[in-house]
Amino acid sequence: MNAKKQFLLFLVPLMLTACQNSNSVNDSSVNKSSLLRDSELRSMTAYEILPKLKSGEVSVSDYMDVLLAQTLKYDDALKAFITIDPQAVREQAKAADEKRKSGVALGPLFGIPVSLKDLISTKDLATSFGTKKFSGFRPNKNAPLVDHLLAADAILFGKNNAQEWAYGSNGYNAHYGQQLNPYDLSRIAGGSSGGGVAAVASRMLPIAIGSDTAASIRVPAAYTGLYGLRPTTGRYDNSGVAPLAPTLDTVGPMTRSVEDLAIIDSVLSEDFSDLPMIDLSGLRLGIPKAFFHAGVSTEMLAAFESLLRKLRKAGVVLVEHDLAKAQELNDAGLYPILFYESYPSIAEFLETWGDGTSVAELYAELGPDIKAMWGQLVMPGAPDAISAEVYDAAINQARPAMQESYRSYFEKHNVSALLFPATASEAPLAMPDNPQQTIIDGETVSIFINDHNSSPGALAGQPGIVMPLALNAQGLPLAISLDGKSGQDRELMAVAKAIDQLIDPLPAPAIAQ
């Protein structure tokens, strides 16, 4: 019996009993350990619920019950999780409540549930890497970031669905299903970290950890009205996380507030410094357009221009200058590095963290979509494999040049961040299966146009934050992106927090209200 079936069998009797006692499990139910309604508990960010958990106003056990009930209700529809063990969640919650009662010091994530993209190795939960081959596999140790979370008293909530080995950006997994958008179940949640954003946006929990090689945290966050952080490359330990390209890979959080990004960043980076205070008046932001506005929908541009007017009114200095050679360097660097580094890094990872499976054996059981891509670009002898010469130019010329382009931009224009639309449009439709196209202003275009604006920062290794901006006419989230200075992640979060004051919070999806 798989973990999801165990989850359903465990919780269905509990839900039926609750229904008998209160006619229905709904948003009017009041949590027994506080005066907060279940809907209020679900909607709280980690920053908001944390003091209530630490004080005992809300017990961790009661909080987990509320979140597990929401997960049971909507996970089948959203395909947010591959593995979740409610008994283990409840045992962790019980232990947390006992720890609080003992009076010992509590960690910075005390009682906060965190889910992990199922590319992150966990010894006590199956780690599939989104594949059929590793279904039910348990690594012999945790990825270091998992131990950081547990040492901070977080609750390990479950493993999120993701595209197979993180290859792709539409959230389709041939084995575990299409990850769907809580704002509209006919739309994708995005990829490759789509399960995490589906869970957080639908209020199953407040924080998920994804991974981002080119766009895989920021685009899903943009589609689902969340905040997503791609940290400076190397800021977090990526050991034990299935790789695509070590030069580009990083893990990062997806949340419902900037404050939650800061909390999880503190734990994963061991940087507990306060966010600096940012005054909007006099803040300088770069507005690059030549690359970052290409192909963007008229609706997205209108929402973006509306924000720029608010920023100007608040005293922000907007410096309109383009990022030098963004298109040229991105084309020469990003995907040549990604596809060239994949095979050797996957082979090394399987030797260190796997079960003896070879890349060839893994390849044989990939879903047809990912198998076709690997066969074309990744496997030895692939017809479109990146040559050593092209890779050498990408890693030794294009990437350093992109890093210099960012460094020069910040220095020359004295800006704190670059600001631009996060994606070209709202989340695309989920049909047909494994969607490859979307429609922008009446024109059918590649779905990968929405990865476009995340790519230069990924190549350069800059910290980047996506944050919600507005709902469009269809009720779907639109978002903005900020790229910051290398190594100044806390400063970038502070800038995002200051800008966030000018943006009305998005309403929760109907399924989360």
Side-chain angles (χ1 to χ4, degrees), residues 8 44 50 66 101 103 166 200-201 207 217 241 267 277 294 296 298 301 322 333 339 343 361 366-367 476 500 509:
L8 293 172
M44 285 185 170
L50 188 56
V66 170
K101 292 174 183 176
V200 175
I207 297 174
I217 286 171
V241 182
V267 171
M277 296 297 294
V296 175
T298 55
L301 287 176
D322 294 324
F339 289 121
Y343 184 86
E361 291 168 331
L366 293 174
L476 297 167
D500 206 34

Side-chain angles (χ1 to χ4, degrees), residues 121-445:
S121 298
T122 49
K123 65 180 181 180
D124 294 326
L125 276 178
T127 303
S128 73
F129 311 115
T131 71
K132 177 182 176 182
K133 179 67 177 176
F134 281 96
S135 177
F137 169 64
R138 293 201 177 201
N140 59 18
K141 59 182 177 179
N142 288 328
L145 76 90
V146 178
D147 289 332
H148 273 76
L149 294 172
L150 294 176
D153 287 338
I155 304 294
L156 184 56
F157 196 78
K159 305 298 287 293
N160 290 124
N161 195 6
Q163 286 185 267
E164 195 167 10
W165 212 273
Y167 258 83
S169 67
N170 62 16
Y172 175 78
N173 187 305
H175 310 298
Y176 302 106
Q178 172 74 59
Q179 298 125 62
L180 294 175
N181 196 314
Y183 280 90
D184 181 345
L185 295 182
S186 72
R187 303 271 172 171
I188 66 173
S192 60
S193 304
V197 294
V200 175
S202 62
R203 277 53 175 177
M204 295 177 185
L205 79 169
I207 297 174
I209 305 295
S211 65
D212 189 310
T213 302
S216 289
I217 286 171
R218 292 161 293 162
V219 167
Y223 285 161
T224 54
L226 299 183
Y227 299 77
L229 169 66
R230 177 194 166 94
T232 298
T233 303
R235 182 171 175 83
Y236 304 155
D237 190 338
N238 290 317
S239 304
V241 182
L244 275 74
T247 296
L248 306 171
D249 293 342
T250 182
V251 293
M254 301 167 291
T255 71
R256 295 196 300 270
S257 74
V258 178
E259 290 85 355
D260 283 11
L261 293 182
I263 291 171
I264 202 77
D265 173 75
S266 290
V267 171
L268 295 182
S269 68
E270 299 183 335
D271 178 358
F272 289 91
S273 60
D274 292 335
L275 296 187
M277 296 297 294
I278 300 290
D279 189 345
L280 285 173
S281 180
L283 176 68
R284 294 173 62 86
L285 297 175
I287 311 296
K289 292 186 175 181
F291 179 93
F292 295 93
H293 288 205
V296 175
S297 72
T298 55
E299 191 173 37
M300 178 69 241
L301 287 176
F304 185 71
E305 289 296 332
S306 177
L307 174 63
L308 295 187
R309 289 192 292 272
K310 292 180 181 178
L311 290 169
R312 289 190 187 98
K313 188 175 180 180
V316 176
V317 179
L318 302 179
V319 182
E320 294 192 4
H321 269 280
D322 294 324
L323 185 68
K325 298 183 179 180
Q327 185 74 61
E328 173 189 339
L329 297 175
N330 189 69
D331 291 348
L334 185 72
Y335 287 103
I337 292 172
L338 192 160
F339 289 121
Y340 187 89
E341 290 188 355
S342 285
Y343 184 86
S345 64
I346 293 168
E348 181 180 356
F349 180 84
L350 289 175
E351 288 181 4
T352 306
W353 291 87
D355 61 357
T357 295
S358 68
V359 182
E361 291 168 331
L362 173 62
Y363 173 70
E365 295 191 30
L366 293 174
D369 55 325
I370 308 304
K371 188 173 186 178
M373 190 184 304
W374 283 27
Q376 193 72 21
L377 288 157
V378 174
M379 300 300 289
D384 293 331
I386 303 299
S387 69
E389 292 76 17
V390 169
Y391 174 72
D392 182 73
I395 199 74
N396 292 316
Q397 297 175 38
R399 184 168 184 263
M402 185 69 89
Q403 292 170 327
E404 174 58 24
S405 185
Y406 271 96
R407 189 203 63 76
S408 176
Y409 193 105
F410 284 114
E411 181 178 303
K412 181 177 180 180
H413 303 299
N414 189 29
V415 297
S416 294
L418 279 65
L419 174 65
F420 47 89
T423 59
S425 68
E426 72 283 349
L429 289 166
M431 296 297 289
D433 284 350
N434 191 24
Q436 300 296 311
Q437 296 179 322
T438 190
I439 298 174
I440 297 179
D441 293 342
E443 180 182 356
T444 300
V445 296

